[in-house]
mmCIF file of all heavy atoms in Angstrom:
data_model
loop_
_atom_site.group_PDB
_atom_site.id
_atom_site.type_symbol
_atom_site.label_atom_id
_atom_site.label_comp_id
_atom_site.label_asym_id
_atom_site.label_seq_id
_atom_site.Cartn_x
_atom_site.Cartn_y
_atom_site.Cartn_z
ATOM 1 N N LEU Y 1 1.088 -26.616 -37.085
ATOM 2 C CA LEU Y 1 0.385 -27.116 -35.898
ATOM 3 C C LEU Y 1 1.364 -27.712 -34.892
ATOM 4 O O LEU Y 1 1.245 -27.490 -33.683
ATOM 5 C CB LEU Y 1 -0.658 -28.149 -36.308
ATOM 6 C CG LEU Y 1 -1.848 -27.622 -37.126
ATOM 7 C CD1 LEU Y 1 -2.745 -28.769 -37.573
ATOM 8 C CD2 LEU Y 1 -2.646 -26.624 -36.302
ATOM 9 N N ALA Y 2 2.335 -28.492 -35.389
ATOM 10 C CA ALA Y 2 3.330 -29.080 -34.494
ATOM 11 C C ALA Y 2 4.173 -27.998 -33.822
ATOM 12 O O ALA Y 2 4.477 -28.087 -32.621
ATOM 13 C CB ALA Y 2 4.223 -30.048 -35.268
ATOM 14 N N ALA Y 3 4.530 -26.957 -34.592
ATOM 15 C CA ALA Y 3 5.312 -25.868 -34.014
ATOM 16 C C ALA Y 3 4.505 -25.119 -32.964
ATOM 17 O O ALA Y 3 5.039 -24.750 -31.906
ATOM 18 C CB ALA Y 3 5.768 -24.918 -35.117
ATOM 19 N N ALA Y 4 3.209 -24.890 -33.237
ATOM 20 C CA ALA Y 4 2.364 -24.199 -32.258
ATOM 21 C C ALA Y 4 2.242 -25.003 -30.971
ATOM 22 O O ALA Y 4 2.311 -24.456 -29.863
ATOM 23 C CB ALA Y 4 0.987 -23.936 -32.856
ATOM 24 N N ALA Y 5 2.061 -26.339 -31.098
ATOM 25 C CA ALA Y 5 1.963 -27.186 -29.903
ATOM 26 C C ALA Y 5 3.278 -27.188 -29.127
ATOM 27 O O ALA Y 5 3.288 -27.124 -27.889
ATOM 28 C CB ALA Y 5 1.581 -28.609 -30.310
ATOM 29 N N ALA Y 6 4.390 -27.245 -29.845
ATOM 30 C CA ALA Y 6 5.690 -27.246 -29.164
ATOM 31 C C ALA Y 6 5.940 -25.916 -28.452
ATOM 32 O O ALA Y 6 6.442 -25.883 -27.325
ATOM 33 C CB ALA Y 6 6.802 -27.522 -30.175
ATOM 34 N N ILE Y 7 5.562 -24.820 -29.113
ATOM 35 C CA ILE Y 7 5.742 -23.505 -28.485
ATOM 36 C C ILE Y 7 4.864 -23.382 -27.249
ATOM 37 O O ILE Y 7 5.281 -22.830 -26.225
ATOM 38 C CB ILE Y 7 5.435 -22.394 -29.499
ATOM 39 C CG1 ILE Y 7 6.498 -22.374 -30.606
ATOM 40 C CG2 ILE Y 7 5.364 -21.030 -28.822
ATOM 41 C CD1 ILE Y 7 6.191 -21.416 -31.725
ATOM 42 N N HIS Y 8 3.624 -23.906 -27.331
ATOM 43 C CA HIS Y 8 2.722 -23.848 -26.175
ATOM 44 C C HIS Y 8 3.310 -24.616 -24.989
ATOM 45 O O HIS Y 8 3.289 -24.126 -23.848
ATOM 46 C CB HIS Y 8 1.365 -24.422 -26.560
ATOM 47 C CG HIS Y 8 0.379 -24.453 -25.433
ATOM 48 N ND1 HIS Y 8 -0.234 -23.316 -24.940
ATOM 49 C CD2 HIS Y 8 -0.081 -25.482 -24.662
ATOM 50 C CE1 HIS Y 8 -1.036 -23.634 -23.944
ATOM 51 N NE2 HIS Y 8 -0.955 -24.937 -23.760
ATOM 52 N N ARG Y 9 3.835 -25.811 -25.235
ATOM 53 C CA ARG Y 9 4.457 -26.575 -24.144
ATOM 54 C C ARG Y 9 5.695 -25.866 -23.621
ATOM 55 O O ARG Y 9 5.953 -25.844 -22.414
ATOM 56 C CB ARG Y 9 4.826 -27.974 -24.636
ATOM 57 C CG ARG Y 9 3.632 -28.888 -24.889
ATOM 58 C CD ARG Y 9 4.074 -30.334 -25.008
ATOM 59 N NE ARG Y 9 4.998 -30.508 -26.110
ATOM 60 C CZ ARG Y 9 4.635 -30.817 -27.354
ATOM 61 N NH1 ARG Y 9 3.342 -30.978 -27.641
ATOM 62 N NH2 ARG Y 9 5.532 -30.951 -28.307
ATOM 63 N N PHE Y 10 6.451 -25.278 -24.534
ATOM 64 C CA PHE Y 10 7.673 -24.569 -24.140
ATOM 65 C C PHE Y 10 7.355 -23.395 -23.227
ATOM 66 O O PHE Y 10 8.018 -23.176 -22.209
ATOM 67 C CB PHE Y 10 8.392 -24.098 -25.409
ATOM 68 C CG PHE Y 10 9.716 -23.448 -25.160
ATOM 69 C CD1 PHE Y 10 10.796 -24.183 -24.701
ATOM 70 C CD2 PHE Y 10 9.890 -22.092 -25.389
ATOM 71 C CE1 PHE Y 10 12.021 -23.578 -24.480
ATOM 72 C CE2 PHE Y 10 11.106 -21.479 -25.175
ATOM 73 C CZ PHE Y 10 12.180 -22.225 -24.719
ATOM 74 N N VAL Y 11 6.312 -22.632 -23.581
ATOM 75 C CA VAL Y 11 5.919 -21.483 -22.771
ATOM 76 C C VAL Y 11 5.333 -21.940 -21.439
ATOM 77 O O VAL Y 11 5.597 -21.348 -20.385
ATOM 78 C CB VAL Y 11 4.912 -20.608 -23.547
ATOM 79 C CG1 VAL Y 11 4.360 -19.501 -22.658
ATOM 80 C CG2 VAL Y 11 5.579 -20.003 -24.779
ATOM 81 N N ALA Y 12 4.499 -23.008 -21.460
ATOM 82 C CA ALA Y 12 3.867 -23.490 -20.232
ATOM 83 C C ALA Y 12 4.888 -23.964 -19.216
ATOM 84 O O ALA Y 12 4.666 -23.867 -18.002
ATOM 85 C CB ALA Y 12 2.893 -24.614 -20.564
ATOM 86 N N ARG Y 13 6.002 -24.478 -19.676
ATOM 87 C CA ARG Y 13 7.043 -24.971 -18.764
ATOM 88 C C ARG Y 13 8.033 -23.880 -18.344
ATOM 89 O O ARG Y 13 9.025 -24.167 -17.683
ATOM 90 C CB ARG Y 13 7.807 -26.112 -19.436
ATOM 91 C CG ARG Y 13 6.941 -27.349 -19.683
ATOM 92 C CD ARG Y 13 7.702 -28.397 -20.463
ATOM 93 N NE ARG Y 13 6.881 -29.568 -20.731
ATOM 94 C CZ ARG Y 13 7.280 -30.592 -21.483
ATOM 95 N NH1 ARG Y 13 8.477 -30.581 -22.050
ATOM 96 N NH2 ARG Y 13 6.455 -31.610 -21.671
ATOM 97 N N GLY Y 14 7.754 -22.654 -18.735
ATOM 98 C CA GLY Y 14 8.636 -21.554 -18.368
ATOM 99 C C GLY Y 14 9.858 -21.412 -19.242
ATOM 100 O O GLY Y 14 10.788 -20.672 -18.907
ATOM 101 N N GLY Y 15 9.872 -22.102 -20.380
ATOM 102 C CA GLY Y 15 11.034 -22.040 -21.253
ATOM 103 C C GLY Y 15 11.207 -20.696 -21.931
ATOM 104 O O GLY Y 15 12.333 -20.254 -22.180
ATOM 105 N N MET Y 16 10.083 -20.025 -22.234
ATOM 106 C CA MET Y 16 10.183 -18.725 -22.904
ATOM 107 C C MET Y 16 10.873 -17.698 -22.017
ATOM 108 O O MET Y 16 11.701 -16.907 -22.485
ATOM 109 C CB MET Y 16 8.788 -18.244 -23.299
ATOM 110 C CG MET Y 16 8.794 -16.935 -24.066
ATOM 111 S SD MET Y 16 9.714 -17.043 -25.618
ATOM 112 C CE MET Y 16 8.616 -18.127 -26.558
ATOM 113 N N ALA Y 17 10.515 -17.715 -20.719
ATOM 114 C CA ALA Y 17 11.157 -16.774 -19.793
ATOM 115 C C ALA Y 17 12.660 -17.047 -19.695
ATOM 116 O O ALA Y 17 13.472 -16.122 -19.658
ATOM 117 C CB ALA Y 17 10.504 -16.863 -18.422
ATOM 118 N N LYS Y 18 13.040 -18.330 -19.675
ATOM 119 C CA LYS Y 18 14.462 -18.671 -19.601
ATOM 120 C C LYS Y 18 15.193 -18.264 -20.877
ATOM 121 O O LYS Y 18 16.328 -17.798 -20.831
ATOM 122 C CB LYS Y 18 14.618 -20.169 -19.357
ATOM 123 C CG LYS Y 18 14.063 -20.634 -18.006
ATOM 124 C CD LYS Y 18 14.220 -22.127 -17.846
ATOM 125 C CE LYS Y 18 13.637 -22.602 -16.515
ATOM 126 N NZ LYS Y 18 13.738 -24.078 -16.364
ATOM 127 N N LEU Y 19 14.505 -18.458 -22.035
ATOM 128 C CA LEU Y 19 15.127 -18.085 -23.300
ATOM 129 C C LEU Y 19 15.327 -16.583 -23.391
ATOM 130 O O LEU Y 19 16.400 -16.108 -23.792
ATOM 131 C CB LEU Y 19 14.256 -18.581 -24.461
ATOM 132 C CG LEU Y 19 14.731 -18.209 -25.865
ATOM 133 C CD1 LEU Y 19 16.098 -18.822 -26.142
ATOM 134 C CD2 LEU Y 19 13.726 -18.666 -26.914
ATOM 135 N N LEU Y 20 14.306 -15.820 -23.018
ATOM 136 C CA LEU Y 20 14.432 -14.363 -23.055
ATOM 137 C C LEU Y 20 15.511 -13.868 -22.108
ATOM 138 O O LEU Y 20 16.201 -12.888 -22.394
ATOM 139 C CB LEU Y 20 13.088 -13.717 -22.712
ATOM 140 C CG LEU Y 20 11.959 -13.899 -23.734
ATOM 141 C CD1 LEU Y 20 10.675 -13.288 -23.209
ATOM 142 C CD2 LEU Y 20 12.329 -13.287 -25.068
ATOM 143 N N ALA Y 21 15.647 -14.548 -20.965
ATOM 144 C CA ALA Y 21 16.651 -14.134 -19.988
ATOM 145 C C ALA Y 21 18.071 -14.304 -20.519
ATOM 146 O O ALA Y 21 18.991 -13.617 -20.063
ATOM 147 C CB ALA Y 21 16.484 -14.928 -18.696
ATOM 148 N N ARG Y 22 18.271 -15.212 -21.491
ATOM 149 C CA ARG Y 22 19.608 -15.456 -22.017
ATOM 150 C C ARG Y 22 19.943 -14.580 -23.214
ATOM 151 O O ARG Y 22 21.107 -14.512 -23.619
ATOM 152 C CB ARG Y 22 19.736 -16.929 -22.425
ATOM 153 C CG ARG Y 22 19.624 -17.892 -21.249
ATOM 154 C CD ARG Y 22 19.604 -19.332 -21.728
ATOM 155 N NE ARG Y 22 19.448 -20.271 -20.613
ATOM 156 C CZ ARG Y 22 19.270 -21.582 -20.755
ATOM 157 N NH1 ARG Y 22 19.244 -22.106 -21.974
ATOM 158 N NH2 ARG Y 22 19.130 -22.359 -19.690
ATOM 159 N N LEU Y 23 18.929 -13.941 -23.796
ATOM 160 C CA LEU Y 23 19.191 -13.102 -24.966
ATOM 161 C C LEU Y 23 19.848 -11.789 -24.538
ATOM 162 O O LEU Y 23 19.392 -11.142 -23.593
ATOM 163 C CB LEU Y 23 17.890 -12.805 -25.708
ATOM 164 C CG LEU Y 23 17.187 -14.006 -26.343
ATOM 165 C CD1 LEU Y 23 15.877 -13.576 -26.977
ATOM 166 C CD2 LEU Y 23 18.080 -14.670 -27.382
ATOM 167 N N PRO Y 24 20.905 -11.378 -25.227
ATOM 168 C CA PRO Y 24 21.568 -10.113 -24.852
ATOM 169 C C PRO Y 24 20.653 -8.931 -25.094
ATOM 170 O O PRO Y 24 20.023 -8.812 -26.140
ATOM 171 C CB PRO Y 24 22.798 -10.078 -25.776
ATOM 172 C CG PRO Y 24 22.453 -10.984 -26.919
ATOM 173 C CD PRO Y 24 21.559 -12.032 -26.365
ATOM 174 N N GLY Y 25 20.576 -8.052 -24.123
ATOM 175 C CA GLY Y 25 19.741 -6.865 -24.235
ATOM 176 C C GLY Y 25 18.306 -7.120 -23.828
ATOM 177 O O GLY Y 25 17.735 -6.401 -23.004
ATOM 178 N N ILE Y 26 17.685 -8.168 -24.392
ATOM 179 C CA ILE Y 26 16.287 -8.471 -24.081
ATOM 180 C C ILE Y 26 16.162 -9.115 -22.707
ATOM 181 O O ILE Y 26 15.168 -8.911 -21.996
ATOM 182 C CB ILE Y 26 15.696 -9.382 -25.173
ATOM 183 C CG1 ILE Y 26 15.708 -8.648 -26.517
ATOM 184 C CG2 ILE Y 26 14.277 -9.812 -24.823
ATOM 185 C CD1 ILE Y 26 15.162 -9.457 -27.665
ATOM 186 N N GLY Y 27 17.161 -9.908 -22.302
ATOM 187 C CA GLY Y 27 17.095 -10.601 -21.016
ATOM 188 C C GLY Y 27 16.941 -9.654 -19.843
ATOM 189 O O GLY Y 27 16.127 -9.885 -18.942
ATOM 190 N N GLU Y 28 17.684 -8.569 -19.850
ATOM 191 C CA GLU Y 28 17.596 -7.614 -18.754
ATOM 192 C C GLU Y 28 16.243 -6.907 -18.753
ATOM 193 O O GLU Y 28 15.683 -6.635 -17.685
ATOM 194 C CB GLU Y 28 18.720 -6.580 -18.889
ATOM 195 C CG GLU Y 28 18.733 -5.521 -17.793
ATOM 196 C CD GLU Y 28 18.925 -6.103 -16.397
ATOM 197 O OE1 GLU Y 28 19.471 -7.226 -16.286
ATOM 198 O OE2 GLU Y 28 18.521 -5.429 -15.424
ATOM 199 N N ARG Y 29 15.686 -6.649 -19.929
ATOM 200 C CA ARG Y 29 14.360 -6.008 -19.990
ATOM 201 C C ARG Y 29 13.263 -6.953 -19.531
ATOM 202 O O ARG Y 29 12.302 -6.524 -18.877
ATOM 203 C CB ARG Y 29 14.073 -5.541 -21.421
ATOM 204 C CG ARG Y 29 15.151 -4.653 -22.001
ATOM 205 C CD ARG Y 29 15.416 -3.453 -21.127
ATOM 206 N NE ARG Y 29 16.642 -2.766 -21.522
ATOM 207 C CZ ARG Y 29 17.126 -1.702 -20.898
ATOM 208 N NH1 ARG Y 29 16.505 -1.215 -19.851
ATOM 209 N NH2 ARG Y 29 18.248 -1.144 -21.300
ATOM 210 N N ALA Y 30 13.398 -8.226 -19.845
ATOM 211 C CA ALA Y 30 12.426 -9.207 -19.351
ATOM 212 C C ALA Y 30 12.478 -9.291 -17.827
ATOM 213 O O ALA Y 30 11.440 -9.425 -17.165
ATOM 214 C CB ALA Y 30 12.696 -10.574 -19.975
ATOM 215 N N ARG Y 31 13.663 -9.214 -17.274
ATOM 216 C CA ARG Y 31 13.805 -9.224 -15.811
ATOM 217 C C ARG Y 31 13.170 -7.970 -15.200
ATOM 218 O O ARG Y 31 12.498 -8.045 -14.160
ATOM 219 C CB ARG Y 31 15.276 -9.301 -15.438
ATOM 220 C CG ARG Y 31 15.551 -9.245 -13.939
ATOM 221 C CD ARG Y 31 17.013 -9.494 -13.654
ATOM 222 N NE ARG Y 31 17.309 -9.316 -12.243
ATOM 223 C CZ ARG Y 31 17.732 -8.180 -11.702
ATOM 224 N NH1 ARG Y 31 17.914 -7.109 -12.478
ATOM 225 N NH2 ARG Y 31 17.977 -8.098 -10.413
ATOM 226 N N ILE Y 32 13.354 -6.829 -15.839
ATOM 227 C CA ILE Y 32 12.748 -5.589 -15.338
ATOM 228 C C ILE Y 32 11.227 -5.684 -15.380
ATOM 229 O O ILE Y 32 10.536 -5.222 -14.459
ATOM 230 C CB ILE Y 32 13.262 -4.390 -16.163
ATOM 231 C CG1 ILE Y 32 14.722 -4.089 -15.786
ATOM 232 C CG2 ILE Y 32 12.398 -3.157 -15.937
ATOM 233 C CD1 ILE Y 32 15.334 -2.963 -16.570
ATOM 234 N N TYR Y 33 10.691 -6.301 -16.433
ATOM 235 C CA TYR Y 33 9.230 -6.471 -16.521
ATOM 236 C C TYR Y 33 8.728 -7.341 -15.373
ATOM 237 O O TYR Y 33 7.694 -7.048 -14.758
ATOM 238 C CB TYR Y 33 8.871 -7.087 -17.868
ATOM 239 C CG TYR Y 33 7.410 -7.431 -18.001
ATOM 240 C CD1 TYR Y 33 6.446 -6.435 -18.134
ATOM 241 C CD2 TYR Y 33 6.981 -8.752 -17.999
ATOM 242 C CE1 TYR Y 33 5.100 -6.741 -18.252
ATOM 243 C CE2 TYR Y 33 5.645 -9.069 -18.114
ATOM 244 C CZ TYR Y 33 4.708 -8.062 -18.245
ATOM 245 O OH TYR Y 33 3.381 -8.387 -18.349
ATOM 246 N N GLU Y 34 9.452 -8.416 -15.071
ATOM 247 C CA GLU Y 34 9.052 -9.293 -13.966
ATOM 248 C C GLU Y 34 9.126 -8.550 -12.631
ATOM 249 O O GLU Y 34 8.219 -8.671 -11.785
ATOM 250 C CB GLU Y 34 9.960 -10.522 -13.929
ATOM 251 C CG GLU Y 34 9.702 -11.528 -15.039
ATOM 252 C CD GLU Y 34 8.409 -12.284 -14.830
ATOM 253 O OE1 GLU Y 34 7.874 -12.247 -13.703
ATOM 254 O OE2 GLU Y 34 7.927 -12.907 -15.784
ATOM 255 N N LEU Y 35 10.188 -7.782 -12.427
ATOM 256 C CA LEU Y 35 10.312 -7.028 -11.181
ATOM 257 C C LEU Y 35 9.224 -5.967 -11.068
ATOM 258 O O LEU Y 35 8.714 -5.707 -9.968
ATOM 259 C CB LEU Y 35 11.694 -6.372 -11.106
ATOM 260 C CG LEU Y 35 12.888 -7.315 -10.924
ATOM 261 C CD1 LEU Y 35 14.184 -6.522 -10.860
ATOM 262 C CD2 LEU Y 35 12.736 -8.165 -9.664
ATOM 263 N N SER Y 36 8.855 -5.367 -12.192
ATOM 264 C CA SER Y 36 7.798 -4.367 -12.164
ATOM 265 C C SER Y 36 6.479 -4.981 -11.701
ATOM 266 O O SER Y 36 5.778 -4.420 -10.847
ATOM 267 C CB SER Y 36 7.638 -3.748 -13.555
ATOM 268 O OG SER Y 36 6.526 -2.889 -13.603
ATOM 269 N N ARG Y 37 6.118 -6.137 -12.243
ATOM 270 C CA ARG Y 37 4.889 -6.811 -11.820
ATOM 271 C C ARG Y 37 4.958 -7.209 -10.347
ATOM 272 O O ARG Y 37 3.988 -7.070 -9.595
ATOM 273 C CB ARG Y 37 4.648 -8.055 -12.672
ATOM 274 C CG ARG Y 37 4.297 -7.768 -14.120
ATOM 275 C CD ARG Y 37 3.873 -9.025 -14.819
ATOM 276 N NE ARG Y 37 2.674 -9.597 -14.220
ATOM 277 C CZ ARG Y 37 2.184 -10.795 -14.520
ATOM 278 N NH1 ARG Y 37 2.800 -11.546 -15.404
ATOM 279 N NH2 ARG Y 37 1.095 -11.238 -13.953
ATOM 280 N N LEU Y 38 6.126 -7.699 -9.933
ATOM 281 C CA LEU Y 38 6.296 -8.109 -8.539
ATOM 282 C C LEU Y 38 6.131 -6.922 -7.605
ATOM 283 O O LEU Y 38 5.374 -6.984 -6.619
ATOM 284 C CB LEU Y 38 7.677 -8.750 -8.367
ATOM 285 C CG LEU Y 38 8.133 -9.005 -6.923
ATOM 286 C CD1 LEU Y 38 7.208 -9.994 -6.226
ATOM 287 C CD2 LEU Y 38 9.574 -9.509 -6.901
ATOM 288 N N TYR Y 39 6.806 -5.829 -7.890
ATOM 289 C CA TYR Y 39 6.760 -4.662 -7.008
ATOM 290 C C TYR Y 39 5.368 -4.025 -6.990
ATOM 291 O O TYR Y 39 4.883 -3.614 -5.934
ATOM 292 C CB TYR Y 39 7.784 -3.624 -7.461
ATOM 293 C CG TYR Y 39 9.214 -3.963 -7.097
ATOM 294 C CD1 TYR Y 39 9.565 -5.250 -6.698
ATOM 295 C CD2 TYR Y 39 10.220 -3.009 -7.143
ATOM 296 C CE1 TYR Y 39 10.868 -5.566 -6.366
ATOM 297 C CE2 TYR Y 39 11.531 -3.309 -6.813
ATOM 298 C CZ TYR Y 39 11.843 -4.594 -6.438
ATOM 299 O OH TYR Y 39 13.129 -4.905 -6.097
ATOM 300 N N LEU Y 40 4.741 -3.936 -8.163
ATOM 301 C CA LEU Y 40 3.417 -3.313 -8.225
ATOM 302 C C LEU Y 40 2.390 -4.134 -7.443
ATOM 303 O O LEU Y 40 1.580 -3.583 -6.697
ATOM 304 C CB LEU Y 40 2.989 -3.167 -9.682
ATOM 305 C CG LEU Y 40 1.693 -2.399 -9.934
ATOM 306 C CD1 LEU Y 40 1.784 -0.988 -9.385
ATOM 307 C CD2 LEU Y 40 1.375 -2.375 -11.420
ATOM 308 N N THR Y 41 2.444 -5.456 -7.596
ATOM 309 C CA THR Y 41 1.491 -6.316 -6.882
ATOM 310 C C THR Y 41 1.750 -6.286 -5.388
ATOM 311 O O THR Y 41 0.815 -6.148 -4.581
ATOM 312 C CB THR Y 41 1.594 -7.754 -7.413
ATOM 313 O OG1 THR Y 41 1.481 -7.759 -8.833
ATOM 314 C CG2 THR Y 41 0.497 -8.622 -6.820
ATOM 315 N N LEU Y 42 3.010 -6.424 -5.010
ATOM 316 C CA LEU Y 42 3.342 -6.433 -3.593
ATOM 317 C C LEU Y 42 3.033 -5.080 -2.952
ATOM 318 O O LEU Y 42 2.533 -5.017 -1.812
ATOM 319 C CB LEU Y 42 4.821 -6.789 -3.421
ATOM 320 C CG LEU Y 42 5.307 -7.062 -1.994
ATOM 321 C CD1 LEU Y 42 4.531 -8.213 -1.368
ATOM 322 C CD2 LEU Y 42 6.801 -7.382 -1.995
#
């Protein structure tokens, strides 16, 4: 329960996006996913 609450706060504060951005290989794919949503919406 404590881990779930901590993960929820971490994600709500944008920490998950920052963590994924620092991971090798995954960071660039997370950025591409964000750009895809941005371009499609715009």
Side-chain angles (χ1 to χ4, degrees):
L1 293 175
I7 292 174
H8 178 73
R9 289 195 299 269
F10 184 69
V11 173
R13 295 175 181 175
M16 183 61 69
K18 295 179 181 178
L19 177 62
L20 292 176
R22 295 174 182 173
L23 295 177
I26 297 179
E28 180 61 23
R29 306 304 167 182
R31 177 173 175 267
I32 287 178
Y33 174 72
E34 287 288 344
L35 291 180
S36 173
R37 291 189 62 189
L38 169 63
Y39 284 15
L40 186 59
T41 308
L42 189 59

